[in-house]
Amino acid sequence: MIRFAFLALLSGVPALAYQVAWTRETALLAGAHIEAISTVLATFFGGLALGNRLLGPLSDRCRSPLLLFAGLEAVAGLVAFLSPSLLRALGAGPLAGAPQEAQLLAAGAIVFPATFALGGSLPALLRTATPDGPESAGAVGWIVGSNTAGAVVGVLLATLTIPEIGLQSTLRLAGASGLVVAALAVWLARRAPSAFPESALLESTPADPTAPSGRPPAFWLASAALAGSVTLAYEVLATRAAMLRLGSSLYAWAVTLGLFLIGLALGNWIAARRAARSLNASSDLAWIQLGSALLLIGAASRGVPSATLPASGVHLLSLFSLGVWIFPATLLMGAAFPIFARGALAAAPRVGSAFGSLTAANTAGGVAGSLLAPFVLIPIAGLEGGILICAAASSVLAAGFALRSSGDVGTRRVRAGLTLVVIALTGLVLIGTRPTNDSPQAIFLEHGRQASVAVLHYGGRRDLIVDGDPEASTFGNARKTEELLAGIPLLLHPQPKRFFEVGFGSGITLGSASRFALEKLDCVEISDSVLRAAVMFEPDNRAVASGRDARIRVMRGDGRAFLARNPGEYDIVVANTVHPWSVGATGLYSLEYFNRIGRALRSGGLAAQWIPMARLGTEHLGAILRTFYSAFEHGQIFWGADSLILVGSQTPIVWPESFSGRAPPPDELRRHFGLGDVGELHARRIASAKAVRRVLGKGLLLSDDRPVLELGAGSSRRRANKGAERKLVEELARAGAQEDAASLPLHLWLQSRIARDAGDNERADGLLDLAERAGFALAASERLGALTNRAFDHLNATRHEAAAAGFRRVLDQSANSRRARFGLAITLLEMGNTSDAVRELERLTSLFRTDAESWNLLASAYQQLGRIEDARRAIERALESDPVFPQALANAGRLAAEAGNLPGAEAYLSRLETVRPLGPGPLVAAVRQAIALARTRP
């Protein structure tokens, strides 16, 4: 048995490597959205199921099952070895611009023979290792457990080797490993013939109507299918939940899959001995499924992280808590399969046929579960509800097995009664389960097919959180970056007409582009949930997803695939995509991807790429820059807002002499882009493409084949090496200043920030002063920002006089500072000086007419002064500026109730409850109380 278990382990290693590599290859070919990935998984597991079902009986009739095992492993290894060239040929050949369906069909046809062969290999190995009969269920546990343990090694090796040697080399190495496994099996077959000779195999072959069938009864096959569905559905749900806790990264995915497979393997091994001697498989499975249901209920109630909180990252504590959450249930799921085999073999003792049919049913159920989880369970019930549905399914299985188990009637009734209690408990919890509003700022939360998305509202600011990572905001540097990502290339292009954005985010980039006189604006976003959250960012994104602007088309799909199908179509292509450390990010920062952008541009077109700097690491930042400017011969790097904006072109970029006639009016340019004239655009320039290539020299180029960015940038993210990236950017700025003296102030400013990071505040202040004297607007903004922050520190510490003095100092130097004037208004209100606060807020709302937070605060101040009609008008202005502002909706509802306008108050309450779909919260309670009090007044 040991040698056959060892063969099973070796067989599992390349099998999972195949799956990981084929999934990534197909995602690069046909798109990385969930439909494409699910198609690959369905093809992979469907091939396994079909192979088990059709080839399992063959192992019973084969003269040498071990040689059959060797032949099937050899077929799988050979197909895997050849598949990289075949899959890449699809992307470069006639299917390069074909519909996604055709590409997926062709990719499936390439990998299917290997998965079909793998499906038949384990029944053949099991047939070699054990004779017919129910006692062989113990061998099932050892063989399947060892194969799953090999899969753990395969995941680990694939995660480590793909970034080092590439997808194609990994597939070829895995294929060669499969051939080695086949050769080892041939050697064992010749050295040690089967312990179950041909005569034993052929004794039962004559047709005998009284002989047991080779196929287990329908009950066992249906139960195995349902159990497989629960297992794979839970794996999908657990992986999505792990992303929320650990962050969207290759590490998080590999750790979750590894934990899952380890639990299954150990469960198989632990149950092997019990399976070999169990006299009541139904009773054993009833208890296993009952325990699994209870553990899943616990996981749903305790283990799912909040989608409204930032991911904690990969560290020892987070990994431990993840293991405690995932491992127990998977252990029982793994323990169930050998017991299933015991029950099936008792009714159909021929090992190959019974195991093949049982495994086929279990795998087919797994395919169904892996598809139901993202397409049905998550959108309808969320992560918690999806896990509870899995618990309910396990409870149903427990009840069925309890009723079928042997023993006296009373015992069966007790088991069935306990199971029904668990089913009822699951149902009650499920009925009461809804996405919980554990963040009072959350105004949107959806676990979509592709990602979990939350929108948080802080005063006048809204943040977009995708799978635990902040992706966009209506405030601060994040908003400024989104605006500049559209503004910079549009201002540089002499006559832009067609604009395309990869990735929607909050929609602010697309909305910023719509301010220009463009003929066509297209955007492709991979996540349906991100698109549904777009309404929460109106009017900041100018309602670009509403369909009101006929020029704008927002589509759901894969950006890479869309670019391949639309060559020579656009004047501007901007990439507003995921962080470099996210799963699948390699395909959005690779040379092949940047070349696709280049091919999608018309003559003279410009590409713009957003690059975050923080926690990326200098090596990987340099690799992205080097790769981008390998695809684009000409270009410039610009400072965004604590991020970089790369602009590239195949032709030289000609700087405009002015923005007149090619852009929105100067006041709109300055307000929304911070670029009132060409000089301010030039001041943000860091260096040219030529300078970048000279500074970085030769080195790593990112490619589709090697996802080094996902693995390496994820590691840099964990280390959080603050300031290291700025040193590289400062070096580039030095080279840029040598090319053009206009870049010198930016270089000085970057030097000041590096000095500040190092703790040398005196040198930092001196450099900042030099940059400000040179007219660099960002230097002045940073200094005033620091003064404003100190004033807010005084305010938070209730040092009101110091806070007011600090805010007035800032306003003396910058009368239009929104933060300083708003801070002064709050300070005056807390000091009881409501009249002066109203004057400051009236000035503020005259300067920023769409500042919902200021209008809302002004309404509260008016109400304190008894100016109810003014308060009502101010609230209306707040809601015109931000229709989903919860505090403004609550204030409007209370004002209407206090004025006796109960229908109006009810209408505002209804809008507030729509904005707060995750639970009532204190704002809803306050409006309800105001309505209740109004109804008691005569």
Side-chain angles (χ1 to χ4, degrees):
M1 178 59 66
I2 293 177
R3 59 188 174 185
F4 299 124
F6 182 66
L7 266 183
L9 186 145
L10 293 180
S11 172
V13 174
L16 254 289
Y18 300 157
Q19 181 191 338
V20 171
W22 281 334
T23 302
R24 295 186 70 95
E25 281 280 3
T26 309
L28 291 170
L29 170 68
H33 49 77
I34 190 65
E35 290 85 351
I37 294 172
S38 295
T39 301
V40 176
L41 292 176
T43 302
F44 186 89
F45 287 107
L48 291 178
L50 198 59
N52 273 289
R53 177 66 187 89
L54 298 181
L55 297 178
L58 179 61
S59 65
D60 286 325
R61 300 190 300 272
C62 181
R63 292 179 179 275
S64 176
L66 192 53
L67 286 178
L68 175 62
F69 168 83
L72 295 173
E73 287 288 326
V75 169
L78 184 61
V79 172
F81 190 87
L82 297 175
S83 64
S85 301
L86 297 173
L87 288 170
R88 291 296 168 96
L90 291 179
L95 289 177
Q100 181 196 62
E101 293 77 10
Q103 292 178 325
L104 288 171
L105 185 63
I110 290 172
V111 305
F112 182 80
T115 63
F116 180 77
L118 287 173
S121 65
L122 278 191
L125 186 59
L126 186 63
R127 168 70 269 183
T128 307
T130 185
D132 288 332
E135 294 80 9
S136 61
V140 170
W142 286 109
I143 296 292
V144 174
S146 299
N147 190 253
T148 307
V152 177
V153 179
V155 169
L156 176 62
L157 291 178
T159 304
L160 296 177
T161 59
I162 288 174
E164 292 298 323
I165 65 176
L167 283 169
Q168 296 189 64
S169 296
T170 298
L171 264 175
R172 292 194 176 98
L173 180 61
S177 301
L179 294 173
V180 170
V181 172
L184 180 59
V186 170
W187 179 80
L188 282 175
R190 292 178 176 176
R191 181 178 176 86
S194 173
F196 317 107
E198 179 183 343
S199 60
L201 301 178
L202 298 179
E203 281 175 359
S204 57
T205 56
D208 179 1
T210 66
S213 168
R215 187 178 181 185
F219 172 81
W220 287 97
L221 296 179
S223 299
L226 182 56
S229 182
V230 169
T231 300
L232 264 292
Y234 182 53
E235 180 184 343
V236 173
L237 296 165
T239 302
R240 284 287 295 276
M243 294 292 184
L244 296 177
R245 175 166 292 168
L246 306 180
S248 177
S249 70
L250 196 59
Y251 284 103
W253 172 83
V255 165
T256 307
L257 182 57
L259 282 172
F260 210 88
L261 292 174
I262 290 170
L264 293 178
L266 287 177
N268 275 282
W269 284 336
I270 291 170
R273 179 172 297 182
R274 175 66 182 177
R277 61 172 186 254
S278 174
L279 299 178
N280 194 344
S282 293
S283 176
D284 291 343
L285 283 169
W287 290 116
I288 288 173
Q289 296 297 333
L290 190 62
S292 178
L294 290 171
L295 288 170
L296 288 173
I297 292 173
S301 61
R302 295 287 183 183
V304 179
S306 170
T308 64
L309 299 175
S312 61
V314 180
H315 51 76
L316 189 59
L317 182 60
S318 64
L319 292 177
F320 176 77
S321 61
L322 186 68
V324 169
W325 178 57
I326 291 177
F327 193 74
T330 59
L331 192 70
L332 285 182
M333 291 174 185
F337 191 78
I339 310 298
F340 268 112
R342 174 74 189 199
L345 285 164
R350 299 183 67 180
V351 172
S353 298
F355 177 78
S357 296
L358 187 72
T359 306
N362 188 253
T363 305
V367 173
S370 68
L371 296 176
L372 284 171
F375 293 110
V376 179
L377 299 186
I378 292 176
I380 292 177
L383 294 180
E384 298 96 332
I387 295 172
L388 286 171
I389 290 172
C390 291
S394 293
S395 299
V396 170
L397 281 172
F401 284 118
L403 293 173
R404 285 180 61 92
S405 62
S406 60
D408 59 76
V409 175
T411 302
R412 291 201 301 271
R413 286 177 178 174
V414 169
R415 290 172 184 155
L418 286 173
T419 305
L420 290 174
V421 169
V422 174
I423 294 174
L425 176 62
T426 306
L428 289 173
V429 177
L430 183 59
I431 291 170
T433 295
R434 56 184 303 182
T436 55
N437 185 9
D438 51 5
S439 170
Q441 287 77 36
I443 60 172
F444 179 91
L445 174 60
E446 181 175 296
H447 297 289
R449 289 179 292 180
Q450 192 81 29
S452 295
V453 175
V455 178
L456 307 183
H457 199 299
Y458 305 89
R461 164 185 173 181
R462 278 147 291 154
D463 292 350
L464 178 70
I465 311 295
V466 180
D467 283 338
D469 279 331
E471 294 287 350
S473 178
T474 61
F475 179 80
N477 287 336
R479 176 177 186 139
K480 185 58 63 182
T481 295
E482 291 192 75
E483 291 170 331
L484 289 171
L485 184 59
I488 288 175
L490 285 167
L491 291 170
L492 284 174
H493 196 287
Q495 290 182 317
K497 298 297 181 184
R498 298 180 179 183
F499 179 93
F500 177 67
E501 180 184 9
V502 183
F504 184 81
S506 64
I508 290 176
T509 296
L510 194 62
S512 299
S514 71
R515 298 181 183 277
F516 289 74
L518 298 166
E519 296 175 353
K520 178 179 180 179
L521 297 95
D522 286 344
C523 177
V524 169
E525 166 59 46
I526 199 168
S527 170
D528 49 348
S529 300
V530 168
L531 293 180
R532 281 193 285 274
V535 67
M536 297 298 170
F537 290 92
E538 297 177 9
D540 294 87
N541 64 20
R542 309 190 81 204
V544 288
S546 67
R548 292 199 287 266
D549 190 332
R551 303 173 302 160
I552 298 174
R553 182 174 57 157
V554 178
M555 299 159 282
R556 181 180 175 267
D558 181 80
R560 281 177 57 104
F562 186 88
L563 289 168
R565 293 193 294 268
N566 292 273
E569 182 69 18
Y570 299 99
D571 298 304
I572 305 290
V573 174
V574 302
N576 187 14
T577 49
V578 297
H579 292 285
W581 52 74
S582 300
V583 173
T586 292
L588 298 173
Y589 290 90
S590 65
L591 183 60
E592 293 88 343
Y593 170 66
F594 292 142
N595 283 332
R596 283 195 184 190
I597 292 178
R599 288 191 291 270
L601 292 171
R602 300 203 290 182
S603 178
L606 300 178
Q609 173 72 52
W610 161 78
I611 303 294
M613 289 201 318
R615 301 182 296 175
L616 184 57
T618 55
E619 177 186 356
H620 304 105
L621 174 58
I624 295 173
L625 297 175
R626 190 183 294 110
T627 304
F628 185 85
Y629 288 113
S630 292
F632 298 102
E633 182 180 357
H634 305 279
Q636 306 283 346
I637 304 181
F638 292 87
W639 181 261
D642 267 345
S643 62
L644 302 179
I645 295 175
L646 316 184
V647 176
S649 177
Q650 304 296 1
T651 59
I653 298 175
V654 179
W655 283 87
E657 294 183 4
S658 73
F659 295 151
S660 178
R662 58 192 287 162
D667 61 332
E668 187 174 342
L669 269 178
R670 190 176 298 281
R671 182 167 62 253
H672 294 288
F673 300 96
L675 301 170
D677 54 44
V678 175
E680 292 182 351
L681 174 61
H682 209 99
R684 284 184 173 269
R685 171 192 174 274
I686 295 173
S688 68
K690 183 178 179 180
V692 171
R693 287 191 286 266
R694 185 173 67 250
V695 171
L696 295 178
K698 295 186 180 297
L700 174 65
L701 293 178
L702 302 174
S703 69
D704 286 347
D705 193 54
R706 293 181 58 200
V708 294
L709 198 60
E710 295 174 51
L711 198 63
S715 175
S716 299
R717 179 193 188 191
R718 296 199 317 277
R719 292 194 300 267
N721 188 10
K722 182 179 179 181
E725 298 88 350
R726 285 181 186 159
K727 293 180 180 178
L728 175 59
V729 176
E730 185 270 334
E731 187 177 354
L732 294 171
R734 183 187 302 120
Q738 293 170 356
E739 293 178 316
D740 187 345
S743 299
L744 181 60
L746 175 61
H747 179 226
L748 292 171
W749 179 67
L750 288 170
Q751 285 184 310
S752 75
R753 303 196 83 182
I754 292 172
R756 189 91 59 198
D757 289 339
D760 191 349
N761 291 325
E762 183 177 351
R763 184 168 184 269
D765 290 340
L767 290 166
L768 188 66
D769 185 58
L770 287 174
E772 187 173 359
R773 289 183 185 179
F776 190 56
L778 288 179
S781 176
E782 181 176 332
R783 183 178 55 78
L784 291 175
L787 291 175
T788 305
N789 289 339
R790 282 199 286 272
F792 271 108
D793 289 340
H794 288 308
L795 177 59
N796 293 333
T798 66
R799 295 189 292 267
H800 293 116
E801 295 294 340
F807 289 129
R808 289 191 174 101
R809 181 183 174 190
V810 174
L811 292 171
D812 288 342
Q813 300 174 64
S814 178
N816 294 340
S817 171
R818 186 266 176 197
R819 285 189 69 219
R821 198 168 295 280
F822 187 80
L824 179 58
I826 293 176
T827 304
L828 293 170
L829 283 173
E830 291 189 4
M831 294 172 69
N833 194 346
T834 307
S835 297
D836 286 348
V838 165
R839 281 192 290 272
E840 294 296 336
L841 288 167
E842 288 174 339
R843 173 74 184 278
L844 187 57
T845 52
S846 68
L847 291 171
F848 302 94
R849 296 185 178 276
T850 60
D851 186 345
E853 190 177 21
S854 297
W855 282 113
N856 183 58
L857 187 61
L858 179 59
S860 297
Y862 280 147
Q863 189 177 13
Q864 290 182 30
L865 295 176
R867 298 166 58 177
I868 303 302
E869 190 60 27
D870 288 336
R872 186 185 61 78
R873 283 194 291 268
I875 279 292
E876 289 177 354
R877 291 297 300 272
L879 291 174
E880 287 174 10
S881 303
D882 185 353
V884 297
F885 194 166
Q887 286 82 0
L889 286 169
N891 286 341
R894 286 191 286 106
L895 277 172
E898 290 170 6
N901 180 10
L902 291 179
E906 293 281 3
Y908 283 120
L909 175 62
S910 177
R911 287 175 61 185
L912 179 60
E913 290 175 328
T914 301
V915 170
R916 290 284 193 187
L918 314 178
L923 293 177
V924 172
V927 178
R928 287 177 178 171
Q929 183 179 12
I931 293 173
L933 288 173
R935 285 184 175 140
T936 62
R937 289 196 293 267

